[in-house]
């Protein structure tokens, strides 16, 4: 049986899991839009000994692909700190967005910069690169770019997180996206199971509760079944318990 859970606040992940009947929690270790180092939650010891699976989402500001040293170098440092902290609380993986290069930059710069990260980074737990919804020169919006990224990372143990909203908004057909991703990466480690408030190929990263957006719920279920990976809903919090119940009943 697929384990299902939600993205929650870090103040008390176990209480949030209980309120949602979640078997998995994902949370940030600080401000997702800030550059400060990770903050270990007070419940870390209890989390580590619980039967709840834990994933940590890295801050959105991290962009290790960019050619801008003022962003890339702090991004690498923050990523390393997040990995160490996530490992210390027993997380099963650290999710990080693929990032982007500037509009007129050769995307190969971004792929090469990602390789340099793994050449220098200690990875006590898996890094799960997530597909993104928008960005004209993104590393992981289109699967053709994901394929180039995985070519650049050949030889390293890199995981993949598939977000259904991002794939839909990024212009990738959900009907066969799992097969196409696995043909590139060989694996899907986690599914971010989200409906989308916006249209196909809109480039807009705005999540909706399941059945409340523009993705056919059957397509979302198809992705979850085919991926065979743990599922985390990152939907509006007041509907997460219903989203988890919906998935558990049908999966």
């Amino acid at each position: 049986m697929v384990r299902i859970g939600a993205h929650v606040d870090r103040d008390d992940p176990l209480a949030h899991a209980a309120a949602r009947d979640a078997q998995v929690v994902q949370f940030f270790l600080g401000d997702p839009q800030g550059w400060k180092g990770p903050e270990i939650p007070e419940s870390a010891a209890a989390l580590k000994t619980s039967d709840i699976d834990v994933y940590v989402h890295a801050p959105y500001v991290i962009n290790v692909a960019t050619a801008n040293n003022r962003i890339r170098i702090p991004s690498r440092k923050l990523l390393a700190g997040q990995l160490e902290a996530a490992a210390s609380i027993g997380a099963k993986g650290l999710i990080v967005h693929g990032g982007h290069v500037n509009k007129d930059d050769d995307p190969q710069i971004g792929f090469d910069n990602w390789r340099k990260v793994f050449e220098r980074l200690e990875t006590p737990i898996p890094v799960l690169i997530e597909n993104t919804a928008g960005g004209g020169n993104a590393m992981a919006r289109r699967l053709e770019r994901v394929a180039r990224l995985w070519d650049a990372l050949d030889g390293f143990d890199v995981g993949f997180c598939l977000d259904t909203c991002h794939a839909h908004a990024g212009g990738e057909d959900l009907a066969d996206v799992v097969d196409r991703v696995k043909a590139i990466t060989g694996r899907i480690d986690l599914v971010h199971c989200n409906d989308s408030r916006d249209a196909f190929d809109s480039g807009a990263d705005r999540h909706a509760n399941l059945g409340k957006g523009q993705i056919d719920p059957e397509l979302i279920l198809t992705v979850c079944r085919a991926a065979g990976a743990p599922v985390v809903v990152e939907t509006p919090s007041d509907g997460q318990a219903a989203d988890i119940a919906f998935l558990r009943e049908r999966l």
Side-chain angles (χ1 to χ4, degrees):
M1 184 68 181
V2 170
R3 291 177 70 80
I4 303 169
H7 182 94
V8 300
D9 289 337
R10 70 182 185 278
D11 59 341
D12 194 344
L14 288 176
H16 293 309
R20 292 158 174 78
D21 194 19
Q23 301 157 316
V24 184
V25 289
Q26 173 188 285
F27 49 86
F28 295 109
L29 291 176
D31 179 0
Q33 302 289 359
W35 290 97
K36 288 185 178 180
E39 302 169 9
I40 303 298
E42 292 181 5
S43 59
L47 267 173
K48 210 168 181 179
T49 58
S50 76
D51 60 356
I52 300 295
D53 293 338
V54 174
Y55 290 84
V56 171
H57 199 304
Y60 298 132
V61 293
I62 290 177
N63 182 7
V64 298
T66 181
N68 185 337
N69 287 343
R70 294 180 181 179
I71 297 174
R72 186 180 71 257
I73 293 171
S75 290
R76 288 180 180 174
K77 181 178 179 181
L78 185 56
L79 180 61
Q82 289 277 326
L83 262 174
E84 183 179 352
S88 76
I89 64 171
K92 292 183 172 294
L94 177 74
I95 298 95
V96 60
H97 287 182
H100 62 276
V101 292
N102 290 334
K103 178 182 175 183
D104 297 323
D105 287 341
D106 181 349
Q108 189 59 44
I109 294 169
F111 304 133
D112 291 343
N113 282 338
W114 259 112
R115 183 170 183 86
K116 290 173 184 175
V117 167
F118 280 94
E119 287 174 343
R120 303 171 185 178
L121 189 68
E122 294 290 331
T123 52
I125 59 173
V127 174
L128 311 183
I129 299 177
E130 179 181 357
N131 62 307
T132 51
N137 217 350
M139 301 296 98
R141 172 178 176 174
R142 304 287 190 185
L143 291 194
E144 61 185 315
R145 289 286 182 91
V146 173
R148 290 181 64 183
L149 178 56
W150 249 252
D151 284 345
L153 298 178
D154 186 43
F156 295 101
D157 183 20
V158 186
F160 191 78
C161 174
L162 175 61
D163 188 302
T164 56
C165 171
H166 295 178
H168 165 87
E172 296 291 347
D173 188 350
L174 292 183
D176 63 350
V177 72
V178 169
D179 288 342
R180 291 185 290 125
V181 167
K182 287 185 175 179
I184 294 166
T185 66
R187 60 198 277 187
I188 293 174
D189 299 76
L190 187 68
V191 174
H192 281 171
C193 182
N194 305 306
D195 207 334
S196 174
R197 289 170 56 186
D198 295 279
F200 181 80
D201 207 15
S202 63
D205 181 5
R206 299 196 299 174
H207 299 180
N209 292 107
L210 305 184
K212 304 295 185 183
Q214 299 204 34
I215 306 177
D216 181 348
E218 286 302 321
L219 272 180
I220 292 176
L221 291 168
T222 294
V223 170
C224 294
R225 291 187 186 109
V231 174
V232 166
V233 297
E234 298 177 312
T235 52
S237 60
D238 58 355
Q240 285 182 344
D243 289 338
I244 290 171
F246 172 86
L247 291 170
R248 187 163 289 133
E249 179 183 343
R250 289 159 178 79
L251 296 178

PDB file of all heavy atoms in Angstrom, residues 177-195:
ATOM      1  N   VAL A 177       3.092  10.456 -18.223  1.00  0.00           N
ATOM      2  CA  VAL A 177       4.280  11.150 -17.727  1.00  0.00           C
ATOM      3  C   VAL A 177       5.170  10.249 -16.872  1.00  0.00           C
ATOM      4  O   VAL A 177       6.397  10.361 -16.906  1.00  0.00           O
ATOM      5  CB  VAL A 177       3.888  12.438 -16.953  1.00  0.00           C
ATOM      6  CG1 VAL A 177       3.264  12.112 -15.610  1.00  0.00           C
ATOM      7  CG2 VAL A 177       5.094  13.350 -16.790  1.00  0.00           C
ATOM      8  N   VAL A 178       4.576   9.323 -16.125  1.00  0.00           N
ATOM      9  CA  VAL A 178       5.386   8.450 -15.271  1.00  0.00           C
ATOM     10  C   VAL A 178       6.319   7.585 -16.113  1.00  0.00           C
ATOM     11  O   VAL A 178       7.513   7.474 -15.823  1.00  0.00           O
ATOM     12  CB  VAL A 178       4.489   7.572 -14.373  1.00  0.00           C
ATOM     13  CG1 VAL A 178       5.305   6.474 -13.695  1.00  0.00           C
ATOM     14  CG2 VAL A 178       3.810   8.427 -13.317  1.00  0.00           C
ATOM     15  N   ASP A 179       5.783   6.991 -17.176  1.00  0.00           N
ATOM     16  CA  ASP A 179       6.630   6.167 -18.048  1.00  0.00           C
ATOM     17  C   ASP A 179       7.736   6.998 -18.668  1.00  0.00           C
ATOM     18  O   ASP A 179       8.889   6.536 -18.776  1.00  0.00           O
ATOM     19  CB  ASP A 179       5.789   5.521 -19.156  1.00  0.00           C
ATOM     20  CG  ASP A 179       4.893   4.417 -18.645  1.00  0.00           C
ATOM     21  OD1 ASP A 179       5.140   3.912 -17.524  1.00  0.00           O
ATOM     22  OD2 ASP A 179       3.939   4.051 -19.357  1.00  0.00           O
ATOM     23  N   ARG A 180       7.410   8.222 -19.069  1.00  0.00           N
ATOM     24  CA  ARG A 180       8.423   9.067 -19.713  1.00  0.00           C
ATOM     25  C   ARG A 180       9.485   9.526 -18.725  1.00  0.00           C
ATOM     26  O   ARG A 180      10.666   9.614 -19.058  1.00  0.00           O
ATOM     27  CB  ARG A 180       7.753  10.256 -20.400  1.00  0.00           C
ATOM     28  CG  ARG A 180       6.930   9.827 -21.621  1.00  0.00           C
ATOM     29  CD  ARG A 180       6.352  11.003 -22.391  1.00  0.00           C
ATOM     30  NE  ARG A 180       5.308  11.683 -21.658  1.00  0.00           N
ATOM     31  CZ  ARG A 180       5.295  12.986 -21.376  1.00  0.00           C
ATOM     32  NH1 ARG A 180       6.320  13.748 -21.739  1.00  0.00           N
ATOM     33  NH2 ARG A 180       4.293  13.533 -20.715  1.00  0.00           N
ATOM     34  N   VAL A 181       9.068   9.819 -17.489  1.00  0.00           N
ATOM     35  CA  VAL A 181      10.050  10.186 -16.461  1.00  0.00           C
ATOM     36  C   VAL A 181      10.963   9.007 -16.142  1.00  0.00           C
ATOM     37  O   VAL A 181      12.197   9.146 -16.100  1.00  0.00           O
ATOM     38  CB  VAL A 181       9.341  10.679 -15.183  1.00  0.00           C
ATOM     39  CG1 VAL A 181      10.330  10.760 -14.017  1.00  0.00           C
ATOM     40  CG2 VAL A 181       8.712  12.047 -15.416  1.00  0.00           C
ATOM     41  N   LYS A 182      10.362   7.836 -15.917  1.00  0.00           N
ATOM     42  CA  LYS A 182      11.170   6.671 -15.555  1.00  0.00           C
ATOM     43  C   LYS A 182      12.124   6.258 -16.674  1.00  0.00           C
ATOM     44  O   LYS A 182      13.209   5.719 -16.404  1.00  0.00           O
ATOM     45  CB  LYS A 182      10.273   5.504 -15.157  1.00  0.00           C
ATOM     46  CG  LYS A 182       9.613   5.684 -13.789  1.00  0.00           C
ATOM     47  CD  LYS A 182       8.834   4.447 -13.379  1.00  0.00           C
ATOM     48  CE  LYS A 182       8.280   4.574 -11.972  1.00  0.00           C
ATOM     49  NZ  LYS A 182       7.501   3.380 -11.552  1.00  0.00           N
ATOM     50  N   ALA A 183      11.745   6.513 -17.919  1.00  0.00           N
ATOM     51  CA  ALA A 183      12.645   6.222 -19.037  1.00  0.00           C
ATOM     52  C   ALA A 183      13.893   7.099 -18.980  1.00  0.00           C
ATOM     53  O   ALA A 183      14.952   6.722 -19.482  1.00  0.00           O
ATOM     54  CB  ALA A 183      11.914   6.434 -20.361  1.00  0.00           C
ATOM     55  N   ILE A 184      13.760   8.264 -18.339  1.00  0.00           N
ATOM     56  CA  ILE A 184      14.892   9.194 -18.210  1.00  0.00           C
ATOM     57  C   ILE A 184      15.667   8.943 -16.927  1.00  0.00           C
ATOM     58  O   ILE A 184      16.891   8.803 -16.938  1.00  0.00           O
ATOM     59  CB  ILE A 184      14.379  10.650 -18.227  1.00  0.00           C
ATOM     60  CG1 ILE A 184      13.783  10.995 -19.589  1.00  0.00           C
ATOM     61  CG2 ILE A 184      15.497  11.624 -17.863  1.00  0.00           C
ATOM     62  CD1 ILE A 184      12.958  12.272 -19.592  1.00  0.00           C
ATOM     63  N   THR A 185      14.960   8.908 -15.805  1.00  0.00           N
ATOM     64  CA  THR A 185      15.604   8.876 -14.489  1.00  0.00           C
ATOM     65  C   THR A 185      15.773   7.470 -13.922  1.00  0.00           C
ATOM     66  O   THR A 185      16.578   7.257 -13.020  1.00  0.00           O
ATOM     67  CB  THR A 185      14.791   9.697 -13.473  1.00  0.00           C
ATOM     68  OG1 THR A 185      13.530   9.042 -13.272  1.00  0.00           O
ATOM     69  CG2 THR A 185      14.538  11.115 -13.983  1.00  0.00           C
ATOM     70  N   GLY A 186      14.941   6.536 -14.407  1.00  0.00           N
ATOM     71  CA  GLY A 186      14.954   5.184 -13.861  1.00  0.00           C
ATOM     72  C   GLY A 186      14.207   5.044 -12.550  1.00  0.00           C
ATOM     73  O   GLY A 186      14.102   3.940 -12.008  1.00  0.00           O
ATOM     74  N   ARG A 187      13.647   6.158 -12.053  1.00  0.00           N
ATOM     75  CA  ARG A 187      13.026   6.101 -10.722  1.00  0.00           C
ATOM     76  C   ARG A 187      12.135   7.314 -10.480  1.00  0.00           C
ATOM     77  O   ARG A 187      12.347   8.389 -11.057  1.00  0.00           O
ATOM     78  CB  ARG A 187      14.112   6.064  -9.642  1.00  0.00           C
ATOM     79  CG  ARG A 187      15.012   7.301  -9.710  1.00  0.00           C
ATOM     80  CD  ARG A 187      16.321   7.129  -8.990  1.00  0.00           C
ATOM     81  NE  ARG A 187      16.207   7.367  -7.558  1.00  0.00           N
ATOM     82  CZ  ARG A 187      17.254   7.414  -6.732  1.00  0.00           C
ATOM     83  NH1 ARG A 187      18.478   7.180  -7.213  1.00  0.00           N
ATOM     84  NH2 ARG A 187      17.090   7.649  -5.452  1.00  0.00           N
ATOM     85  N   ILE A 188      11.156   7.133  -9.622  1.00  0.00           N
ATOM     86  CA  ILE A 188      10.417   8.237  -9.018  1.00  0.00           C
ATOM     87  C   ILE A 188      10.377   7.936  -7.526  1.00  0.00           C
ATOM     88  O   ILE A 188       9.871   6.898  -7.110  1.00  0.00           O
ATOM     89  CB  ILE A 188       8.996   8.378  -9.593  1.00  0.00           C
ATOM     90  CG1 ILE A 188       9.062   8.802 -11.064  1.00  0.00           C
ATOM     91  CG2 ILE A 188       8.182   9.394  -8.780  1.00  0.00           C
ATOM     92  CD1 ILE A 188       7.711   8.838 -11.760  1.00  0.00           C
ATOM     93  N   ASP A 189      10.936   8.814  -6.724  1.00  0.00           N
ATOM     94  CA  ASP A 189      11.075   8.576  -5.290  1.00  0.00           C
ATOM     95  C   ASP A 189       9.917   9.121  -4.478  1.00  0.00           C
ATOM     96  O   ASP A 189       9.667   8.656  -3.367  1.00  0.00           O
ATOM     97  CB  ASP A 189      12.376   9.211  -4.786  1.00  0.00           C
ATOM     98  CG  ASP A 189      13.605   8.622  -5.457  1.00  0.00           C
ATOM     99  OD1 ASP A 189      13.870   8.957  -6.631  1.00  0.00           O
ATOM    100  OD2 ASP A 189      14.290   7.819  -4.818  1.00  0.00           O
ATOM    101  N   LEU A 190       9.234  10.128  -5.023  1.00  0.00           N
ATOM    102  CA  LEU A 190       8.159  10.787  -4.290  1.00  0.00           C
ATOM    103  C   LEU A 190       7.239  11.452  -5.303  1.00  0.00           C
ATOM    104  O   LEU A 190       7.700  11.964  -6.330  1.00  0.00           O
ATOM    105  CB  LEU A 190       8.732  11.847  -3.337  1.00  0.00           C
ATOM    106  CG  LEU A 190       7.765  12.536  -2.373  1.00  0.00           C
ATOM    107  CD1 LEU A 190       7.253  11.561  -1.324  1.00  0.00           C
ATOM    108  CD2 LEU A 190       8.443  13.736  -1.687  1.00  0.00           C
ATOM    109  N   VAL A 191       5.936  11.430  -5.008  1.00  0.00           N
ATOM    110  CA  VAL A 191       4.962  12.159  -5.829  1.00  0.00           C
ATOM    111  C   VAL A 191       4.386  13.301  -5.000  1.00  0.00           C
ATOM    112  O   VAL A 191       3.903  13.091  -3.892  1.00  0.00           O
ATOM    113  CB  VAL A 191       3.814  11.232  -6.300  1.00  0.00           C
ATOM    114  CG1 VAL A 191       2.735  12.053  -7.026  1.00  0.00           C
ATOM    115  CG2 VAL A 191       4.342  10.139  -7.211  1.00  0.00           C
ATOM    116  N   HIS A 192       4.465  14.512  -5.547  1.00  0.00           N
ATOM    117  CA  HIS A 192       3.729  15.643  -5.002  1.00  0.00           C
ATOM    118  C   HIS A 192       2.392  15.676  -5.726  1.00  0.00           C
ATOM    119  O   HIS A 192       2.330  16.003  -6.916  1.00  0.00           O
ATOM    120  CB  HIS A 192       4.496  16.953  -5.227  1.00  0.00           C
ATOM    121  CG  HIS A 192       5.601  17.164  -4.253  1.00  0.00           C
ATOM    122  ND1 HIS A 192       6.526  18.179  -4.381  1.00  0.00           N
ATOM    123  CD2 HIS A 192       5.927  16.501  -3.109  1.00  0.00           C
ATOM    124  CE1 HIS A 192       7.378  18.124  -3.364  1.00  0.00           C
ATOM    125  NE2 HIS A 192       7.021  17.118  -2.582  1.00  0.00           N
ATOM    126  N   CYS A 193       1.344  15.285  -5.022  1.00  0.00           N
ATOM    127  CA  CYS A 193       0.029  15.055  -5.617  1.00  0.00           C
ATOM    128  C   CYS A 193      -0.842  16.292  -5.432  1.00  0.00           C
ATOM    129  O   CYS A 193      -1.422  16.495  -4.368  1.00  0.00           O
ATOM    130  CB  CYS A 193      -0.606  13.837  -4.967  1.00  0.00           C
ATOM    131  SG  CYS A 193      -2.201  13.416  -5.646  1.00  0.00           S
ATOM    132  N   ASN A 194      -0.899  17.117  -6.461  1.00  0.00           N
ATOM    133  CA  ASN A 194      -1.597  18.392  -6.375  1.00  0.00           C
ATOM    134  C   ASN A 194      -2.462  18.622  -7.606  1.00  0.00           C
ATOM    135  O   ASN A 194      -2.038  18.327  -8.728  1.00  0.00           O
ATOM    136  CB  ASN A 194      -0.582  19.540  -6.292  1.00  0.00           C
ATOM    137  CG  ASN A 194       0.403  19.371  -5.154  1.00  0.00           C
ATOM    138  OD1 ASN A 194      -0.006  19.205  -4.011  1.00  0.00           O
ATOM    139  ND2 ASN A 194       1.694  19.391  -5.455  1.00  0.00           N
ATOM    140  N   ASP A 195      -3.652  19.159  -7.397  1.00  0.00           N
ATOM    141  CA  ASP A 195      -4.438  19.671  -8.507  1.00  0.00           C
ATOM    142  C   ASP A 195      -3.874  21.050  -8.867  1.00  0.00           C
ATOM    143  O   ASP A 195      -3.049  21.604  -8.132  1.00  0.00           O
ATOM    144  CB  ASP A 195      -5.918  19.761  -8.112  1.00  0.00           C
ATOM    145  CG  ASP A 195      -6.868  19.647  -9.295  1.00  0.00           C
ATOM    146  OD1 ASP A 195      -6.457  19.990 -10.420  1.00  0.00           O
ATOM    147  OD2 ASP A 195      -8.016  19.219  -9.093  1.00  0.00           O
TER     148      ASP A 195
END
